[in-house]
Amino acid sequence: MTVARLDQGQRHRPRMAFLKKIEALMMEMQNPDTGIKTQSQRVMITNIPHAVAGNDILQWILQRLQITEEEALHLGDLFVKYGYIYPLQEPKNLTLKTDGSLYRFQTPYFWPTQSWPADDTDYAIYLAKKNIKRKGILEEYEKEHYNMLNQKINYKWDFVIMQAKEQYKAGKERKKADRYALDCQERAYWLVNRTPPGMLDVLEYGLDRVTDPNENKKKTMDVYRREIMYYQQAIMKSRVKSSVSLGGLVKYSEQFLSNDPILSGCLPGNPWITDDPEFWDLNAKLVEIPTRMRVERWAFNFSELIRDPKGRQNFQLFLKKEFSGENLSFWEACEDLKYGDQSKVKEKAEEIYKLFLAPGARRWINIDGTTMGITVKGLKHPHRYVLDAAQTHIYMLMKKDSYGRYLKSPIYKEMLAKAVVPQEAVKKSSTFPFGRRHLRSSPSPVILRQQEEEAKAKEAATTVDITQVMSKLDRRSQLKNEPPK
């Protein structure tokens, strides 16, 4: 069973899981033996039958579910907001008051889980009947809905007015108490299903769905076969031991620890604290001489080198000496194609093909026949990712072949030798926690215990009175020299 809304395209929407639980509680509440006792209550000058007080609802929830008062009040509010209970004294206020405010249980036919939609025609009849009853006095949002529905279903507006008049006449023939209760019930229903501006639409279930997710479809042999194939492939996938993955994480953290500006600080100083822009100047994208820490980071992995504009510039010098500079140029052109202007994708793709891929191209790159076939086929309908296969091939070629030689080349060693090592700036007195901190390891507890014992021994040695010790020794010697009596 689903909640279908005609005004939103009559699309299937998944039923919210907790609505079943709310309905079960509603059935228990209305149980004559274990539920809440209903009785006739006086509202103004009318006696309303089967009414309950808000405080009684709260107490029943507390005793039944054994939860806190705050949770019980929140659950009671949900009962009212979803239209399972409607107020009698303040019909516009869909909240549960924990006092003597009166409420009634909504008819199960109007519960939100019913599959029938809240039709625009029914809403138009309700507004027309209210307009007749109040002689044109409606809320502002109701006037807008009334005029909109008049234009939308103008072809059957005579039917709407006729039904509204008939329902208004039938309502006048009812008893005053029944008439008042039905008005409150109807108003609460439309407040839930046609939410006024500024109120939360509790029946909003997200995006519309074309198919019903709750529909029970019979599974064919083909479906089971595909499921078995999926699980077999999942079982055959390689797994990594937790010890290996944790070891890799520790190694990565140790490698990048000195480059973390929060854990290790930044040199020459944090510009947000010192108000000195020297850090930004030294780490500009294409600075003439980069910092030593930045150059050392290029040796961590190929990704760190190629993501740094200065690193790519230095790597390009090396590739030109090896007569393979077109590889990096092609990679950069593919990056510009992916992240550049969408309107120029077709023009850029054609330029890249003519420059790097076409037979006899000026800067022809060497890729295998399979990759070239995939690329040429994709260029018939170019898009921003059409060159991904060729770009990946060139990337792996540079990573496995050129990158290792670059790290051993004089170009990288020369850049590393002349790299700047900024000195730590004099810090102002500040309690800001992200300054550069010198991390020191704490001493071992065994060493601390030995130091304490040595300190106690020294303290005991300094407190001994030498004169007392010498007098005791002299007295012992005198006793030994005395003749026995």
Side-chain angles (χ1 to χ4, degrees):
M1 191 176 292
T2 60
V3 179
R5 296 284 294 275
L6 186 65
D7 60 314
Q8 296 187 4
Q10 196 72 2
R11 297 293 190 264
H12 295 288
R13 291 165 173 254
R15 182 177 181 176
M16 298 179 70
F18 67 91
L19 289 181
K20 290 184 179 180
K21 298 181 179 180
I22 291 181
E23 290 177 5
L25 287 174
M26 286 293 107
M27 299 300 292
E28 288 188 38
M29 275 189 184
Q30 299 179 66
N31 190 304
D33 300 325
T34 60
I36 304 174
K37 303 300 180 184
T38 60
Q39 53 186 344
S40 297
Q41 297 284 352
R42 192 173 185 83
V43 178
M44 293 184 291
I45 58 173
T46 308
N47 287 326
I48 306 296
H50 309 296
V52 293
N55 188 42
D56 293 340
I57 298 174
L58 181 68
Q59 293 301 321
W60 187 91
I61 297 173
L62 286 171
Q63 294 175 5
R64 170 65 180 79
L65 301 178
Q66 298 296 318
I67 55 179
T68 63
E69 186 174 352
E70 183 180 0
E71 292 172 334
L73 182 59
H74 176 66
L75 184 58
D77 279 338
L78 289 178
F79 291 164
V80 182
K81 289 183 187 301
Y82 278 89
Y84 290 99
I85 300 172
Y86 61 91
L88 292 173
Q89 293 170 313
E90 296 183 26
K92 296 181 183 179
N93 188 11
L94 297 182
T95 56
L96 181 67
K97 293 187 175 182
T98 57
D99 51 16
S101 299
L102 299 179
Y103 298 84
R104 285 191 71 178
F105 294 107
Q106 182 65 281
T107 306
Y109 180 77
F110 295 108
W111 285 358
T113 51
Q114 298 301 321
S115 59
W116 67 276
D119 191 21
D120 283 345
T121 304
D122 295 333
Y123 188 48
I125 293 171
Y126 164 74
L127 291 178
K129 181 174 62 174
K130 191 174 180 181
N131 188 44
I132 295 170
K133 183 178 179 181
R134 297 195 174 186
K135 299 180 180 179
I137 301 176
L138 296 175
E139 302 285 345
E140 288 298 325
Y141 76 94
E142 290 178 335
K143 291 180 182 178
E144 294 178 4
H145 288 174
Y146 186 82
N147 295 330
M148 180 188 68
L149 291 171
N150 187 7
Q151 297 176 0
K152 185 177 180 181
I153 54 176
N154 186 264
Y155 61 94
K156 57 177 178 179
W157 197 251
D158 293 338
F159 169 78
V160 170
I161 298 298
M162 181 186 69
Q163 286 291 324
K165 290 180 179 178
E166 290 297 326
Q167 290 185 16
Y168 177 68
K169 290 179 182 178
K172 291 185 70 174
E173 296 175 359
R174 292 192 183 97
K175 295 180 181 179
K176 189 174 183 180
D178 294 338
R179 187 166 63 247
Y180 182 83
L182 287 173
D183 287 344
C184 294
Q185 181 185 36
E186 198 173 23
R187 184 181 299 180
Y189 173 79
W190 288 115
L191 283 176
V192 173
N193 288 272
R194 292 292 187 274
T195 310
M199 283 184 64
L200 177 65
D201 187 1
V202 294
L203 296 183
E204 180 58 46
Y205 287 80
L207 296 175
D208 294 336
R209 301 193 178 190
V210 179
T211 59
D212 184 3
N214 298 321
E215 183 181 355
N216 293 324
K217 294 182 179 179
K218 292 183 179 180
K219 292 187 177 181
T220 61
M221 289 299 296
D222 185 56
V223 174
Y224 287 115
R225 192 178 295 110
R226 281 188 275 115
E227 286 185 1
I228 292 171
M229 186 182 300
Y230 170 79
Y231 291 128
Q232 286 177 344
Q233 292 175 353
I235 292 172
M236 292 171 62
K237 284 183 179 178
S238 60
R239 300 289 187 270
V240 180
K241 292 182 179 179
S242 59
S243 58
V244 177
S245 60
L246 290 173
L249 181 61
V250 170
K251 184 179 179 181
Y252 177 87
S253 302
E254 290 176 348
Q255 187 179 37
F256 285 86
L257 176 63
S258 59
N259 290 266
D260 194 304
I262 294 179
L263 296 178
S264 300
C266 50
L267 291 174
N270 191 328
W272 301 106
I273 302 173
T274 60
D275 294 330
D276 186 1
E278 187 178 2
F279 175 81
W280 307 121
D281 297 336
L282 291 173
N283 291 277
K285 286 186 177 181
L286 294 174
V287 66
E288 184 178 355
I289 303 176
T291 62
R292 187 177 183 84
M293 185 182 297
R294 182 175 177 181
V295 178
E296 289 175 347
R297 188 161 179 164
W298 298 347
F300 287 176
N301 53 60
F302 184 60
S303 177
E304 292 293 332
L305 171 67
I306 206 167
R307 282 190 302 182
D308 190 338
K310 184 64 180 178
R312 288 202 305 272
Q313 186 185 61
N314 194 249
F315 187 49
Q316 184 69 280
L317 293 176
F318 168 77
L319 292 177
K320 285 180 179 179
K321 289 192 174 183
E322 288 204 336
F323 303 101
S324 58
E326 65 276 358
N327 289 340
L328 185 58
S329 299
F330 174 74
W331 184 89
E332 290 178 334
C334 292
E335 289 293 294
D336 181 58
L337 176 68
K338 282 197 289 189
Y339 304 111
D341 189 357
Q342 175 68 24
S343 61
K344 299 179 180 179
V345 166
K346 187 176 181 179
E347 300 173 6
K348 289 181 179 179
E350 291 177 356
E351 291 177 4
I352 293 172
Y353 175 75
K354 292 177 182 178
L355 185 61
F356 296 102
L357 299 172
R362 185 165 55 87
R363 304 189 68 186
W364 185 77
I365 58 172
N366 185 18
I367 59 176
D368 61 274
T370 305
T371 306
M372 179 64 79
I374 294 172
T375 305
V376 172
K377 185 178 179 181
L379 285 171
K380 295 178 180 178
H381 304 284
H383 52 86
R384 62 172 67 244
Y385 302 107
V386 70
L387 299 174
D388 271 7
Q391 185 188 18
T392 304
H393 180 84
I394 294 299
Y395 178 88
M396 297 305 297
L397 185 66
M398 292 189 293
K399 179 180 179 180
K400 294 180 179 179
D401 186 37
S402 305
Y403 177 59
R405 294 199 303 274
Y406 165 72
L407 295 179
K408 299 175 184 177
S409 67
I411 293 178
Y412 175 72
K413 293 179 179 178
E414 183 183 351
M415 179 62 73
L416 186 62
K418 68 179 183 180
V420 178
V421 182
Q423 300 298 318
E424 187 172 2
V426 179
K427 294 186 291 185
K428 301 177 183 179
S429 58
S430 174
T431 58
F432 195 75
F434 299 127
R436 186 171 182 82
R437 295 176 290 179
H438 299 284
L439 304 178
R440 299 177 181 177
S441 59
S442 58
S444 170
V446 177
I447 299 175
L448 289 175
R449 197 179 301 112
Q450 291 177 355
Q451 292 176 353
E452 290 177 1
E453 292 176 356
E454 290 175 1
K456 289 179 181 179
K458 288 180 181 180
E459 185 179 358
T462 55
T463 56
V464 174
D465 191 352
I466 302 298
T467 56
Q468 291 181 3
V469 174
M470 294 303 294
S471 62
K472 287 181 180 180
L473 292 174
D474 292 341
R475 186 172 181 78
R476 287 179 183 177
S477 61
Q478 289 176 4
L479 292 173
K480 288 181 181 180
N481 296 330
E482 288 181 0
K485 296 180 181 179

